[in-house]
Amino acid sequence: MSKASPMMEQYKSIKARHPDKLLLFQVGDFYELFYEDAELAAKEMEIALTSRDGGSDNPIPLAGVPIHSAENYLNRLLAKGYKIVVCDQVEQASQAKGLVRREITRILTPGTITDQEMLEESRNNYLTVVMAENSNYYGLAVVDVSTGDFKVTENKSDAAWEIIADELRRLQPAEVLCNTEELEMHCRKQVDVNKSSLVETLTNIPDLSETKALINEQWSKDTWQKLDLDSYPLAAKCAAAALTYLELLQQLPPDGKHFHELELYFNYKNMIIDSITSRNLELTQSIRDGSRQGSLLALIDRCMTGMGRRLLRRWVEQPLLEQGKIEARLDVLSELQNKPLLRRDLRKKLQDIFDLERFCSRLSYQRVNARDLVALKNTLRQLDPVKEIALNCDSELLKEIAAQIPSFDELIGRVDKALVEDPPLSLKEGGLFKTGYNQEVDSLKTTANEGNTLLLDFEQKERARTGIKSLRVGYNRNFGYYIEITKTNLELAPPEYHRKQTLINAERFTTEELNRMEEQIIGARDKLAALEYSLFEELRDFVSNHTGELLAAAHELARLDCLQGLAETAEIHNYCRPVFSGKGNMSVKQARHPVVEQLAFERFVPNDITINRDRYLLVITGPNMAGKSTYIRSAALVAIMAQMGSFTPADKAEVPIIDRIFARVGASDDLSRGHSTFMVEMQETAAILRDSTPDSLIILDEIGRGTSTYDGMSIARSVLEYISKKIKAKTLFSTHYHELTELEGELPGIKNYTMAVKEKGKEVIFLRQIIPGKADKSYGINVARLAGVPLEVLVRAETILTELELAASNASEQQLSLLPMVSEPVSNHEAEMAVIEELKDLDLNRMTPLEAIQKMYDLQKQLQEIDTEDDKE
């Protein structure tokens, strides 16, 4: 067996330290992967699989990508849940004595990405740590390395796992770490909607004493006491495990200043919207394809910055419970809506502000270049004008935001004085600093620039001295500066020329004078590049000292951006300011579904929503496609928008403070967990009945239809009775079980509503209007006709319906699916269908008007004869 080359030994040594990661190993201008990594990467990145030492008995599988386009391939691998180690050459091959030195420069996992190009601007990229102590005690840490967010929570109750699992579904983390393999299996099921999530078991879990030390070291020493983490030990342990993991990945910044203050949070401090409700209401993504498009968030997002877009998502997912905070946001929207010119000016300035949060992350990890600092300077120059706009407003919240945005005059001045406006991307080749910033830099620049003039003068002098008109002075990296003489003129070369390189048609020489000039020029350039890099590091450290203030500014700018964006949305879509009812009433005039009204192909019909102490349970009947689901969803979206501090899609809205919204809408299987449509429906219903309160809002659409009619109707009625008598929550209950409308007057709080329709012959027109009362029939056949069901099927269905209704009246029953099987059809539909087919086959273009009239007369006569025969029977 042949011995591995020194480079492959180097590769194996580094790979042995990271066996669970794909190793991208720099070889010249390429990143190369070997062995199993190469085979896997070739498949996942769709690149060619070749081999190293192809002529040997044991060729090594090889796959490679050019360094200049590596980021695209890295993104692809991270999106599929892989971990990556990037190993770069840290010295030039020409300067290496033997094997080129290589070091790990980056370790990337899906949850620890900081590179702007790899991240989605409008959402956080979370790493989560989940721990379980027993079946009813769970902890969770949530970290976004790219923004510095670091939060922890825990729950000790019989519903602890459901609460933590729902939080995982809401967060959609890119990476999940668990303290046991059993928990890993459970967590994997919660994030399987996000196929790229990496879920694995932790190998290093700190004990309690280590936990306290790690938290005190990362944050201030009073953090533990301030958050009372003695009372939340599992939350603290999750935080420490996350810190340990990040340190292992070289993802803890050296100065420890990156992360925001540790936050201990609990979901009950905001309106609770579980992941099922969020999905059913399409708050942040559409049910159809899981994309942002078609969601409430996409509709109302008119933020100008990435910071604002991420914060707005949190506002949608976690509306407020404190009326004072809600009213403060609404005051801002009222003012900004009434001052369109001011709002336009504010939007224009915010547009020029880049993502300060993610900049601070890269700054902490020393991954910013000179262009980033110039962009920072230009962003910070916008802050004073933004503050001035906010300070000149009447809203107290706007003034508070402005007051909390720090001043950065010193930082702006330092960067502006130092860096040229368009610096190069590379930090190690010079050209970064302005003239006048540093005397030594200026001196070296002069020397380097004068070198070109010295070389031209030297070349002209040597041509005159030797008489060789074709003599030229050149340069390459391997041989430095040289004098080149063609072979036809070699006899004219002076004896003091020392041969340096032989070419086919020329010889290259050097002289002591040229060597001195080379040393002077190259030395000046190298010293200049090294000095500029050193000065840049000093400048970067200076900027890093302002990380806290930059993050504070980012937070305030994000709030301001969300508020102006909501004001812009309210103006564009004609939303109204909600009023909060202290009596628990919900009275919305001309409510609209904000998304449907924008996507609908027909004019959207608004409706009133009235819920109070006397009628808090609305039972809504009506045909499919009439607008029941849109109506009940509208109520939930109005409540959510109001409590997040947004204006609402209505003419007038009086709303209560809702503690929690539940939405059980439509049917869906969960086959991956072996759950049928009906099982999923019952699990969601059970959660609603268990967790709702009189201050909750419940949306139930077609409950019970996933099983047989008797069972379904029994469950639906029982649920209605339970909500009516026990919970008394504000509820909108749509159903096709018309028998349930009989409960109005029998049970407290129930009021019947139906969707108005207009019949025109066999056609039905959906008016989309909600009216008091109950539907007398379902119009199912009419809907089938609209959907394009074949005429023969429709005709047969009408016959069956007639017999069922007749049988139902005889049996004193009303529910269609409870009725007996029907007999064969009485009507001679085969004869009718023959007439219809003959009518279809007529070629009217080849018939005279008289022939057409005669044919129609004959067909009509045939149909009349068929009706006469049916009547006789």
Side-chain angles (χ1 to χ4, degrees):
M1 183 176 178
S2 60
K3 188 175 184 293
S5 68
M7 190 192 81
M8 292 310 299
E9 290 292 346
Q10 186 185 45
Y11 168 86
K12 289 179 180 178
S13 172
I14 295 170
K15 176 65 181 176
R17 287 152 43 197
H18 298 278
D20 60 330
K21 305 174 186 72
L22 294 173
L23 174 55
L24 272 68
F25 193 74
Q26 185 183 358
V27 181
D29 294 331
F30 281 77
Y31 282 130
E32 295 187 352
L33 301 97
F34 303 103
Y35 301 106
E36 294 86 355
D37 283 7
E39 293 170 350
L40 182 61
K43 176 185 174 185
E44 297 289 9
M45 296 192 292
E46 299 177 357
I47 57 177
L49 178 66
T50 60
S51 64
R52 183 180 177 86
D53 302 331
S56 68
D57 294 335
N58 297 297
I60 300 168
L62 164 67
V65 296
I67 289 176
H68 67 82
S69 61
E71 297 302 320
N72 294 329
Y73 294 103
L74 289 174
N75 288 344
R76 222 181 283 180
L77 291 171
L78 289 166
K80 294 184 177 183
Y82 292 106
K83 296 180 178 181
I84 301 166
V85 173
V86 178
C87 185
D88 284 312
Q89 294 176 185
V90 293
E91 64 178 343
Q92 294 292 332
S94 60
Q95 298 171 347
K97 296 179 180 178
L99 184 64
V100 176
R101 188 160 55 89
R102 293 177 173 87
E103 290 180 1
I104 292 172
T105 54
R106 286 191 291 172
I107 301 177
L108 303 173
T109 69
T112 60
I113 303 168
T114 57
D115 290 344
Q116 193 86 350
E117 299 78 13
M118 299 184 185
L119 294 165
E120 185 180 336
E121 181 193 51
S122 61
R123 62 180 302 157
N124 289 90
N125 188 65
Y126 288 123
L127 162 75
T128 58
V129 175
V130 188
M131 290 191 183
E133 294 257 316
N134 52 51
S135 61
N136 64 355
Y137 186 25
Y138 289 85
L140 176 69
V142 183
V143 188
D144 186 344
V145 177
S146 73
T147 64
D149 288 337
F150 206 125
K151 299 182 286 187
V152 292
T153 188
E154 68 171 50
N155 193 282
K156 187 183 286 188
S157 69
D158 290 339
W161 168 242
E162 285 81 0
I163 291 169
I164 295 298
D166 194 73
E167 191 69 353
L168 286 176
R169 290 192 291 268
R170 179 183 74 83
L171 294 168
Q172 295 182 31
E175 193 169 350
V176 184
L177 306 171
C178 311
N179 66 330
T180 66
E181 291 183 2
E182 182 182 5
L183 184 58
E184 177 190 333
M185 180 181 67
H186 290 310
C187 288
R188 196 178 297 278
K189 293 177 181 178
Q190 307 311 316
V191 296
D192 58 6
V193 290
N194 181 10
K195 300 297 183 184
S196 64
S197 294
L198 175 64
V199 185
E200 59 185 8
T201 303
L202 284 162
T203 55
N204 193 347
I205 301 172
D207 60 28
L208 195 56
S209 62
E210 289 176 299
T211 293
K212 195 166 187 177
L214 282 165
I215 288 175
N216 286 338
E217 183 181 349
Q218 181 63 39
W219 292 282
S220 60
K221 289 188 177 181
D222 63 347
T223 298
W224 189 276
Q225 187 174 357
K226 185 169 67 176
L227 297 180
D228 188 22
L229 292 178
D230 281 324
S231 300
Y232 306 103
L234 198 53
K237 210 170 179 181
C238 289
L243 291 172
T244 302
Y245 180 73
L246 291 171
E247 187 172 21
L248 186 68
L249 296 181
Q250 304 174 10
Q251 292 281 13
L252 278 184
D255 58 8
K257 295 178 182 176
H258 169 47
F259 293 118
H260 301 186
E261 286 298 313
L262 183 63
E263 179 187 345
L264 180 66
Y265 79 102
F266 300 97
N267 62 354
Y268 58 78
K269 293 187 176 181
N270 294 83
M271 178 200 283
I272 299 174
I273 304 173
D274 61 39
S275 58
I276 294 166
T277 297
S278 178
R279 176 183 179 275
N280 287 334
L281 295 178
E282 299 183 291
L283 295 186
T284 59
Q285 59 186 45
S286 71
I287 292 178
R288 179 170 41 86
D289 59 6
S291 69
R292 193 171 184 267
Q293 195 62 32
S295 68
L296 174 66
L297 178 61
L299 175 78
I300 65 174
D301 183 1
R302 281 181 171 75
C303 293
M304 307 304 290
T305 70
M307 303 171 289
R309 292 188 183 96
R310 292 190 296 273
L311 181 60
L312 183 65
R313 184 187 185 94
R314 294 198 287 275
W315 283 13
V316 170
E317 292 177 332
Q318 298 175 312
L320 299 170
L321 291 177
E322 295 180 45
Q323 185 174 338
K325 290 183 177 180
I326 300 170
E327 297 286 5
R329 291 181 185 177
L330 294 174
D331 288 344
V332 174
L333 266 61
S334 293
E335 182 168 5
L336 292 179
Q337 190 181 38
N338 292 329
K339 297 177 178 178
L341 294 179
L342 180 146
R343 190 175 73 246
R344 186 177 66 184
D345 192 24
L346 181 59
R347 286 175 62 80
K348 187 176 179 181
K349 287 179 169 54
L350 286 171
Q351 188 175 19
D352 294 329
I353 290 175
F354 80 158
D355 199 328
L356 278 173
E357 270 188 326
R358 286 184 168 162
F359 167 83
C360 287
S361 171
R362 301 197 311 278
L363 178 65
S364 296
Y365 290 106
Q366 300 180 354
R367 293 173 187 160
V368 298
N369 58 31
R371 289 188 183 182
D372 292 324
L373 295 190
V374 171
L376 172 68
K377 175 194 71 175
N378 293 333
T379 281
L380 298 182
R381 279 178 169 165
Q382 301 297 323
L383 298 196
D384 282 344
V386 166
K387 288 170 65 174
E388 187 178 348
I389 291 172
L391 285 170
N392 289 330
C393 291
D394 299 324
S395 162
E396 290 300 320
L397 181 54
L398 282 177
K399 291 180 178 178
E400 174 193 315
I401 289 171
Q404 293 186 39
I405 297 177
S407 176
F408 294 97
D409 291 342
E410 182 187 6
L411 196 157
I412 293 169
R414 177 80 176 267
V415 175
D416 186 52
K417 183 181 177 183
L419 298 175
V420 298
E421 284 304 312
D422 188 21
L425 278 172
S426 173
L427 296 176
K428 295 187 176 182
E429 296 180 8
L432 305 176
F433 289 90
K434 289 180 177 178
T435 301
Y437 179 72
N438 181 277
Q439 285 186 355
E440 189 177 355
V441 168
D442 293 346
S443 175
L444 289 169
K445 276 184 183 178
T446 301
T447 302
N449 291 335
E450 286 177 351
N452 293 329
T453 303
L454 289 173
L455 288 169
L456 284 172
D457 291 343
F458 176 76
E459 184 180 77
Q460 294 298 327
K461 184 186 73 173
E462 290 302 300
R463 282 180 181 177
R465 187 170 74 89
T466 62
I468 306 172
K469 293 183 179 180
S470 61
L471 179 148
R472 72 180 189 88
V473 176
Y475 172 82
N476 68 33
R477 287 192 174 187
N478 291 328
F479 292 95
Y481 287 100
Y482 55 81
I483 301 167
E484 184 172 291
I485 301 174
T486 59
K487 289 199 172 178
T488 56
N489 292 308
L490 282 180
E491 69 277 2
L492 298 176
E496 63 269 22
Y497 277 23
H498 305 293
R499 198 180 303 273
K500 197 168 188 178
Q501 187 184 11
T502 300
L503 305 178
I504 295 174
N505 297 316
E507 293 283 347
R508 288 176 176 175
F509 301 89
T510 187
T511 67
E512 291 183 8
E513 183 181 1
L514 184 58
N515 288 340
R516 285 194 300 272
M517 291 172 61
E518 178 177 358
E519 187 176 340
Q520 180 183 352
I521 296 167
I522 299 295
R525 288 178 181 170
D526 289 346
K527 286 178 184 176
L528 177 61
L531 177 59
E532 288 204 38
Y533 183 70
S534 175
L535 289 171
F536 177 80
E537 288 185 308
E538 288 180 14
L539 182 62
R540 185 176 60 195
D541 290 343
F542 171 77
V543 176
S544 293
N545 291 331
H546 294 76
T547 299
E549 297 100 299
L550 290 169
L551 285 172
H555 175 70
E556 300 305 328
L557 289 167
R559 288 208 291 167
L560 183 58
D561 196 17
C562 285
L563 292 166
Q564 70 77 22
L566 290 175
E568 185 81 1
T569 298
E571 175 73 17
I572 290 171
H573 297 309
N574 193 29
Y575 293 168
C576 75
R577 176 171 179 161
V579 176
F580 287 90
S581 162
K583 300 177 181 179
N585 295 337
M586 186 173 190
S587 177
V588 185
K589 300 298 181 184
Q590 300 294 282
R592 292 120 54 195
H593 189 295
V595 179
V596 173
E597 76 164 331
Q598 298 304 316
L599 300 179
F601 295 108
E602 58 187 70
R603 184 182 69 85
F604 187 89
V605 179
N607 279 291
D608 294 349
I609 303 169
T610 304
I611 302 176
N612 53 42
R613 290 180 179 176
D614 297 326
R615 50 181 182 184
Y616 52 82
L617 207 169
L618 312 186
V619 176
I620 303 160
T621 53
N624 286 319
M625 294 177 60
K628 299 192 301 298
S629 295
T630 298
Y631 175 71
I632 63 178
R633 283 179 170 96
S634 299
L637 293 177
V638 165
I640 289 169
M641 293 175 71
Q643 282 182 233
M644 65 176 278
S646 168
F647 283 15
T648 54
D651 288 353
K652 184 179 179 182
E654 180 186 358
V655 293
I657 296 291
I658 303 292
D659 66 354
R660 184 163 188 166
I661 289 183
F662 296 92
R664 163 63 212 169
V665 178
S668 60
D669 289 335
D670 191 350
L671 300 179
S672 65
R673 285 178 246 177
H675 296 168
S676 67
T677 296
F678 185 64
M679 172 60 84
V680 171
E681 182 180 337
M682 289 301 98
Q683 287 175 333
E684 294 176 9
T685 303
I688 292 171
L689 299 180
R690 181 188 67 222
D691 297 330
S692 55
T693 73
D695 293 324
S696 300
L697 176 63
I698 301 173
I699 305 298
L700 290 171
D701 190 11
E702 306 295 348
I703 188 172
R705 67 178 176 180
T707 186
S708 68
T709 307
Y710 278 127
D711 284 347
M713 190 165 61
S714 300
I715 291 169
R717 173 165 181 153
S718 182
V719 167
L720 270 177
E721 291 178 356
Y722 190 85
I723 294 173
S724 168
K725 296 177 180 178
K726 299 278 187 180
I727 303 174
K728 300 185 178 180
K730 289 164 272 293
T731 305
L732 289 90
F733 190 106
S734 77
T735 184
H736 278 294
Y737 296 131
H738 296 171
E739 293 85 350
L740 299 178
T741 59
E742 302 301 322
L743 297 176
E744 183 181 32
E746 293 184 19
L747 293 175
I750 291 184
K751 177 70 177 176
N752 289 333
Y753 286 90
T754 188
M755 303 305 298
V757 296
K758 181 179 179 181
E759 293 187 71
K760 190 176 181 181
K762 291 188 176 182
E763 292 185 16
V764 60
I765 300 171
F766 300 125
L767 302 179
R768 316 289 187 200
Q769 193 73 49
I770 191 90
I771 56 174
K774 57 186 179 179
D776 52 0
K777 55 183 177 178
S778 291
Y779 300 96
I781 293 175
N782 305 80
V783 173
R785 181 177 286 106
L786 289 174
V789 172
L791 180 61
E792 184 174 355
V793 175
L794 296 174
V795 173
R796 170 66 175 145
E798 285 177 343
T799 302
I800 296 172
L801 178 62
T802 302
E803 292 204 6
L804 288 173
E805 289 174 339
L806 179 63
S809 63
N810 293 336
S812 299
E813 295 179 357
Q814 298 176 8
Q815 180 59 38
L816 300 188
S817 52
L818 305 183
L819 301 175
M821 294 295 292
V822 298
S823 62
E824 287 298 312
V826 174
S827 298
N828 188 0
H829 289 305
E830 290 183 5
E832 291 177 344
M833 292 305 301
V835 174
I836 291 171
E837 291 300 323
E838 188 176 350
L839 180 61
K840 282 183 183 178
D841 292 338
L842 291 180
D843 189 350
L844 297 177
N845 291 326
R846 296 191 176 186
M847 299 175 70
T848 65
L850 186 61
E851 288 173 335
I853 292 171
Q854 182 62 46
K855 189 63 180 177
M856 292 301 295
Y857 174 78
D858 293 341
L859 293 174
Q860 184 184 51
K861 189 174 180 181
Q862 290 181 50
L863 289 173
Q864 289 171 345
E865 290 173 355
I866 293 170
D867 286 343
T868 302
E869 290 177 9
D870 287 343
D871 291 340
K872 289 179 182 178
E873 293 179 6

